[in-house]
C-alpha cells in the first residue's frame, strides 16, 4: 500500500512507495521529501541522561528520557516532533523486545500517524558506560 501524507504544518511529506513493504508497524516511513525554502534543524544524538547526567539502567526509562531530550532540543530550535523528517536510532544489544519498547515510546511522542523516515542501527556500545539508547533527528521548518 502506498501512503503519502503531506501535512499543512510541515514543509515535507512522508511516503511509503509501492514495491516496498509497509513499515508502519515498525514505526517509520521509507521517505521524507523536503520542500524548497525550508530550514533544517539537526539534533545531535540524545541519550537517556537527565539534566543532571543521571542515567537509568532500565532500557525503557532511557528511551523515554531520550525522547524527552529530543523534544527539548527541538523546542529550543522552534520545532516539535511533528517537524521531524528523519531519525537515526542506535540500540545496544538490539532485540525484538527492545524494538517494541522503542516503538511504543515513539508512538507516545509522534502519535499514531506516519512516523519519520528512520534508520535503526544495532551497536555493541555507545559513548557512555551504561548507555543503551541514542536518537538523533532532522527537523524541517519553514525558512
Amino acid at each position: 500500500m502506498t501512503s503519502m501524507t503531506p501535512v499543512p504544518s510541515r514543509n515535507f511529506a512522508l511516503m511509503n512507495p509501492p514495491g516496498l513493504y509497509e513499515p508502519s508497524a515498525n514505526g517509520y516511513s521509507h521517505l521524507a521529501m523536503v520542500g524548497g525554502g525550508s530550514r533544517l534543524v539537526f539534533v545531535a544524538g540524545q541519550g537517556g541522561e537527565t539534566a543532571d547526567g543521571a542515567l537509568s539502567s532500565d532500557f525503557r526509562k532511557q528511551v523515554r528520557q531520550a525522547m524527552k531530550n529530543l523534544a527539548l532540543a527541538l523546542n529550543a530550535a522552534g520545532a516539535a516532533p511533528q517537524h521531524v523528517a528523519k531519525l537515526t536510532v542506535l540500540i545496544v544489544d538490539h532485540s525484538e523486545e527492545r524494538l517494541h519498547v522503542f516503538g511504543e515510546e515513539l508512538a507516545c511522542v509522534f502519535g499514531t500517524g506516519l512516523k519519520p523516515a528512520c534508520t535503526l542501527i544495532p551497536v555493541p556500545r555507545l559513548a557512555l558506560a551504561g548507555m543503551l539508547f541514542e536518537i538523533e533527528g532532522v527537523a524541517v521548518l519553514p525558512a
Side-chain angles (χ1 to χ4, degrees), residues 6-90:
V7 178
S9 65
R10 294 181 179 168
N11 209 21
F12 67 96
L14 300 173
M15 180 181 178
N16 294 314
L20 297 176
Y21 89 100
E22 175 56 51
S24 298
N26 290 318
Y28 71 97
S29 298
H30 286 293
L31 297 175
M33 298 170 292
V34 177
S38 299
R39 183 168 55 105
L40 298 178
V41 177
F42 295 87
V43 180
Q46 299 298 306
E49 309 87 13
T50 57
D52 64 0
L55 185 64
S56 172
S57 60
D58 180 78
F59 180 75
R60 182 179 295 274
K61 288 180 182 176
Q62 283 196 30
V63 173
R64 189 170 290 152
Q65 183 63 48
M67 297 299 238
K68 287 179 185 176
N69 294 345
L70 176 65
L72 283 168
L74 289 167
N75 185 266
Q82 71 263 21
H83 297 114
V84 174
K86 173 72 168 87
L87 295 170
T88 302
V89 174
L90 306 169

Side-chain angles (χ1 to χ4, degrees), residues 7-8 13 15-16 49 64 80 86 88 94 96 99 102 104 111 114 120 122 125 137:
V7 178
M15 180 181 178
N16 294 314
E49 309 87 13
R64 189 170 290 152
K86 173 72 168 87
T88 302
H94 178 60
E96 291 295 317
L99 177 62
F102 167 59
E104 291 166 4
L114 287 174
L120 188 154
R125 187 181 192 285

